[in-house]
Amino acid sequence: MSSVTQLFKNIPVNRDRIIPLDFSNAKTLPESHVWSKPEPEPEPMIRPIPVISLFNPEQAILQHACEEWGVFHITDHGVPHSLLHNFECQMKKLFSLPMHRKILAVRSPDESTGYGAVRISMFYDKLMWSEGFSVMGSSLRRHATLLWPDDHAEFCNVMEEYQKAMKGLSRRLISMVMDSLGITHEDLGWLVPEITGSRTESIQSFLQLNSYPVCPDPHLAMGLAPHTDSSLLTILYQGNVPGLEIQVPEEEGSRWIGVEPIEGSLVVIMGDLSHIISNGRFKSTMHRAVVNKTHHRVSAAYFTGPPKNLQVGPLTDDKDHPPIYRRLIWEEYLAAKATHFNKALTLFRC
Ligand SMILES: C=C1C[C@]23C[C@H]1CC[C@H]2[C@@]12CCC[C@@](C)(C(=O)O1)[C@H]2[C@@H]3C(=O)O
Ligand SMILES: O=C(O)CCC(=O)C(=O)O
Ligand SMILES: [Fe+2]
C-alpha cells in the first residue's frame, strides 16, 4: 500500500459527505447546494494566460508563467489526440451510469480510490455540484469490476494508458520548470531514477476524474470550491467545456478569470510543493470550477509529488533569500492539507 493511501486511512471523510446528489433527477437547485460566490469577470486581452508549446519551450517564458500565473496551457505535449479522446469517452461512460451503479464503487471513508464527492467537501457547509472518481494505486480494477462486472477491460486499459502518458509528461514538465529556475538535475535526481540510478522510488501520482452535470441554476452553484493543489504540479485535462477559473490578485482584492479551453491542449497547475521548492517564487494559484446549464463537463487532474519518504524543501543557496519553508515529505504535507485545508502552507513557514 502506498504511504499516501495509508495517510487517508487516518483522516477519514464523514460518510454523508461522500455520496453526491443524484444529479440526473435534480430539476431545481436544493438549498444544500446554494452558494454565494463572486462572479467571474471577462479576461482582459492584455494579460492572457500563457500558452507554451513543448516543441520548443523558451525558459524565460516558462519561468514567467510559473512566477506570475502558476497556471498555463501546454500544446505539442506529445499525448496522442486519440488517447485524449478515448479517455474523455471513458470518463463520460462512467459518470453517465445510473446512481445505483456508481454507488457500488463508492469510496469508503478511509479510502482514496472510488466514486464520490471530493475530499475538500468536508471544509465547506454547502455541497458542490460535482461528483468524482479517484484513482490511486492498484485498486482500479477492483472498482471497475464493481461498475461493469463483465466489460471493464477497456476502461482500465484507457485509464492505465492515460496515467502512463501523464507520468512521462509530468517528469518532463517538472524537469523543465525546475531548469527554468536554475535548479540542477543533481538536486532532482529522484525525477529520473533510470538515468541517475540514485533511487529506486519514483514520483508518486494520483488521478482524479471530475464530473460536473448540467445545473438548473449555475450562478448559485459551485462545481469545485476554491483550493490550491498540494502537488508539485497538476496536469489538467478539461476537454472543450469551460469551467476552470483562477483567482488573480488585483490592487484591491482579487477577481476570478476563466481558463478557456484550447483544443488539444492540457493545462498545467503549479502546486504548493513547487511553491515551497522554489522558495516562494512559483505561484500555487487558487482555482475553482463553475458549472453551466447546457453541457455536462468532465475534467481530470493528474497530481504528482516526490517519491515516498523523500524530504524536499526550498532549493536555494542564495544568502539574500534564506529558506522560508522547512523541509518536508509529501505525505506530511497532504496530511496537513487534509486537516487544515487552505491554511496548510502557512504551517510550514520557517
Ligand atoms: C494527491 C492528492 C491531491 C488531493 C489530495 C490527494 C488526493 C485527492 C486530491 C484532491 C482532488 C480534488 C481537489 C483536492 C484539493 C482535494 O480535495 O482532493 C485535491 C487534493 C490536494 O491537492 O490537496
Ligand atoms: O475541473 C476543473 O477544471 C478543476 C479540477 C481541479 O482543480 C482539481 O481536480 O483539483
Ligand atoms: Fe485543483
Side-chain angles (χ1 to χ4, degrees), residues 76-284:
D76 306 311
H77 44 62
V79 183
H81 184 80
S82 56
L83 175 56
L84 296 180
H85 175 78
N86 292 342
F87 178 61
E88 173 156 350
C89 290
Q90 293 300 321
M91 279 201 272
K92 291 219 162 114
K93 180 170 107 180
L94 186 162
F95 291 114
S96 308
L97 287 171
M99 196 59 162
H100 68 265
R101 285 218 74 84
K102 291 187 280 195
I103 286 295
L104 298 174
V106 79
R107 220 172 63 226
S108 37
D110 62 355
E111 250 191 329
S112 43
T113 301
Y115 174 75
V118 287
R119 283 193 73 92
I120 55 171
S121 182
M122 60 179 169
F123 298 105
Y124 289 92
D125 295 338
K126 296 294 182 166
L127 299 173
M128 300 175 210
W129 200 264
S130 59
E131 52 187 341
F133 188 84
S134 315
V135 181
M136 183 175 271
S138 53
S139 57
L140 174 64
R141 264 167 215 275
R142 185 166 59 81
H143 282 83
T145 312
L146 296 169
L147 292 170
W148 300 283
D150 305 316
D151 67 346
H152 50 273
E154 200 191 350
F155 177 80
C156 293
N157 293 343
V158 173
M159 291 300 134
E160 275 159 18
E161 205 186 326
Y162 184 78
Q163 290 181 84
K164 218 167 132 195
M166 289 300 120
K167 187 160 206 144
L169 183 57
S170 49
R171 276 199 187 147
R172 201 171 142 207
L173 282 163
I174 296 169
S175 149
M176 274 170 43
V177 299
M178 294 301 162
D179 264 357
S180 80
L181 267 187
I183 291 171
T184 66
H185 279 128
E186 276 141 56
D187 292 320
L188 297 170
W190 47 270
L191 256 185
V192 275
E194 300 82 355
I195 296 173
T196 60
S198 61
R199 269 172 198 281
T200 46
E201 291 285 353
S202 173
I203 53 170
Q204 300 185 90
S205 58
F206 180 87
L207 178 64
Q208 170 74 26
L209 314 182
N210 302 304
S211 153
Y212 306 95
V214 292
C215 177
D217 209 341
H219 296 292
L220 295 176
M222 179 70 84
L224 183 59
H227 66 277
T228 59
D229 290 350
S230 308
S231 52
L232 267 168
L233 55 80
T234 304
I235 304 175
L236 183 80
Y237 173 80
Q238 66 162 343
N240 51 23
V241 182
L244 174 64
E245 293 180 352
I246 58 170
Q247 192 177 37
V248 291
E250 294 276 276
E251 267 142 44
E252 283 168 47
S254 64
R255 61 194 193 112
W256 290 94
I257 65 173
V259 180
E260 297 298 321
I262 297 178
E263 172 78 38
S265 86
L266 293 163
V267 175
V268 177
I269 302 173
M270 301 303 286
D272 296 336
L273 287 201
S274 284
H275 177 78
I276 293 175
I277 290 185
S278 65
N279 205 25
R281 282 174 66 182
F282 289 168
K283 256 191 190 135
S284 58

